[in-house]
Amino acid sequence: VIMYQLLRGKPLEQINFEYVRATSGKYRNKLICQNIFTFDTETTSDFVDENGVFLFDYDNPQRSQNALKHSVTYLWQFGIDEDTRFIGRELTDFVDLLHDLQFYIHDCCRIICYVHNLSFDFVGLTNVLHFDNVFARKPRHPMSAYCKRFKIEFKCSYILSGLKLSTWAKTMNMSDRKLTMDYKQLRTPLTPLTQQEIDYSIADLDVIYYGIKSYREKYGGMHLIPLTHTGEMRHACEQVMKSQSFYCERVTRLMPQTIFDYVEQAHAFIGGTVLCNWLYKNRVIENMRCYDIASSYPYVLVACKYPMSIFFKCPKGHEHKYMYNDNYVYIVRFTAKNVESNFNCHFLSRSKALKIKNVVADNGRVVSADEIEYILTSVDYELFLKCYHFEDLEIKSFKFSRAGYLNNEFRRFIISLYKDKTMLKGVSGHEEEYQNKKALINSCY
């Protein structure tokens, strides 16, 4: 008995499926379906203890900590192009739909299906599908997953767009899709659903469809759409830098040449710091003032210098020549004892320490420690010297590189994006273009 339902549009036998054979890249010589497939689920998270099943209680959060958590998929939606929408209550019914789909798809054709926040729906899909190839940026965060049995590849539209569905809908001037949905109600595949609840769920697929359609038109095919948002930026940068072959070759030669160099530079990379003042944790602050640094990423890309040579070892005792010097950047490995922060905001990451003893941490950031050993870049090391009091500082190794600005063409490209974004800000009818320019700038880093 087939339990899935055609909610609207054409049945499978009436859909016109289109194919293209890829000539390059990941899908070279493979037949790729050019129809837009979308998938989404609705779930309920509940808890079970000796008193029964319950939803999260905000008035009594301690109860859920001692209970067993479940996640139940009570509705799934599958879309093909703009009009066709299938729904089902059990994920096993989705497998039946994929099985039937094979009778109408070319035997050698691969389907690309987009899911918004694939890492969430992937957990449920693994219960009914076997994935032969999964590409993930970190554990439990897949970006794509391929099921050979049904020749379908799931991709994450959230990683591609960088926007949540409601924001993505607004950038495409779609009407507000927020219908009423009571998420405090416990639902299972046996729970009757109202038409309004079903319409709410289907609206998600409409947003994904129109978003992916714009990408397909921009890149010329489903198989040519980048996997990630930064992939889209990478494609744009490649177009800008086509005529800068000498610079590209020069930068390529700066890549770490040994595994030791790579590990050292990976340890030195910390990234940004997002942390509150620990004196104000778990408190509500009223009548406070705040400020933000606007366009910090494009500024440092245009105005700051970066390593433009390989890293050279510095002779012992000559480190001061390269510190606080705009013509050089460096990587330093050092130890220190009796370390204590001078401020109430802490930036030194505990997880990046090569060695650390008796540490007091503020949400993963070092407040104090008896002894530490780190590898830091020049930016972070000079910040450490300002922000922490310490004793017995010893530099284990010091490597410097000549500093220089990034390629002029690349910097002009960033300035052009920033100019276009600023001119479009707040202009009616150009919301999607503004969001695109803003996203590209943030991806340049």
Side-chain angles (χ1 to χ4, degrees), residues 93-110:
D93 302 331
F94 178 55
V95 178
D96 293 334
L97 175 58
L98 292 179
H99 178 270
D100 293 346
L101 183 61
Q102 302 308 301
F103 292 103
Y104 307 100
I105 295 286
H106 193 285
D107 290 341
C108 299
C109 179
R110 176 178 293 205

Side-chain angles (χ1 to χ4, degrees), residues 197-217:
E197 290 171 330
I198 294 175
D199 291 341
Y200 176 93
S201 304
I202 291 298
D204 290 345
L205 296 188
D206 295 337
V207 176
I208 300 173
Y209 165 75
Y210 285 109
I212 298 302
K213 181 184 177 184
S214 65
Y215 279 106
R216 186 183 64 179
E217 292 172 351

Side-chain angles (χ1 to χ4, degrees), residues 160 215 218-219 226 228-236 436 440:
L160 172 63
Y215 279 106
K218 179 178 181 179
Y219 290 99
T228 66
H229 192 62
T230 53
E232 185 182 6
M233 184 68 243
R234 192 176 299 112
H235 181 270
N436 184 50
L440 284 174

Side-chain angles (χ1 to χ4, degrees), residues 102-314:
Q102 302 308 301
F103 292 103
Y104 307 100
I105 295 286
H106 193 285
D107 290 341
C108 299
C109 179
R110 176 178 293 205
I111 299 169
I112 297 176
C113 178
Y114 279 92
V115 186
H116 209 71
N117 195 7
L118 177 60
S119 59
F120 178 82
D121 292 304
F122 180 75
V123 178
L125 288 172
T126 54
N127 292 322
V128 294
L129 295 176
H130 171 72
F131 290 102
D132 302 272
N133 188 9
V134 177
F135 182 70
R137 55 182 176 178
K138 56 183 178 180
R140 296 181 296 278
H141 285 78
M143 294 188 287
S144 68
Y146 177 63
C147 175
K148 185 177 180 180
R149 177 187 174 189
F150 297 115
K151 299 183 290 294
I152 183 170
E153 181 178 6
F154 295 91
K155 291 186 176 183
C156 184
S157 56
Y158 177 71
I159 292 178
L160 172 63
S161 65
L163 302 171
K164 60 183 181 180
L165 278 175
S166 58
T167 306
W168 204 9
K170 290 178 181 178
T171 63
M172 295 182 289
N173 295 322
M174 296 181 67
S175 59
D176 192 350
R177 67 176 193 90
K178 286 188 177 180
L179 305 172
T180 57
M181 173 71 86
D182 182 10
Y183 282 103
K184 294 183 179 180
Q185 179 182 343
L186 180 63
R187 298 180 179 88
T188 73
L190 300 178
T191 305
L193 298 177
T194 66
Q195 187 60 45
Q196 191 175 33
E197 290 171 330
I198 294 175
D199 291 341
Y200 176 93
S201 304
I202 291 298
D204 290 345
L205 296 188
D206 295 337
V207 176
I208 300 173
Y209 165 75
Y210 285 109
I212 298 302
K213 181 184 177 184
S214 65
Y215 279 106
R216 186 183 64 179
E217 292 172 351
K218 179 178 181 179
Y219 290 99
M222 294 295 293
H223 58 295
L224 298 175
I225 299 175
L227 183 60
T228 66
H229 192 62
T230 53
E232 185 182 6
M233 184 68 243
R234 192 176 299 112
H235 181 270
C237 289
E238 287 174 355
Q239 301 304 310
V240 172
M241 300 299 291
K242 271 185 176 180
S243 62
Q244 306 295 312
S245 57
F246 175 77
Y247 175 82
C248 294
E249 292 174 3
R250 177 188 174 191
V251 171
T252 302
R253 289 196 294 268
L254 300 183
M255 293 174 61
Q257 300 300 308
T258 66
I259 188 64
F260 176 80
D261 292 336
Y262 170 79
V263 171
E264 182 180 56
Q265 293 179 28
H267 272 297
F269 180 79
I270 290 181
T273 299
V274 181
L275 200 68
C276 72
N277 186 316
W278 75 333
L279 297 180
Y280 297 97
K281 276 187 176 179
N282 300 320
R283 292 171 56 186
V284 177
I285 310 300
E286 299 180 355
N287 300 321
M288 64 177 292
R289 292 180 294 175
C290 60
Y291 68 92
D292 182 32
I293 301 176
S295 304
S296 184
Y297 277 140
Y299 169 75
V300 297
L301 286 172
V302 171
C304 295
K305 293 182 177 181
Y306 294 85
M308 286 299 162
S309 72
I310 62 173
F311 282 87
F312 301 94
K313 289 185 178 180
C314 175

Side-chain angles (χ1 to χ4, degrees), residues 45 47 54-64 183-184:
S45 294
F47 300 85
F54 64 97
L55 295 176
F56 183 81
D57 187 355
Y58 289 93
D59 297 326
N60 184 19
Q62 185 62 35
R63 182 186 177 189
S64 62
Y183 282 103
K184 294 183 179 180

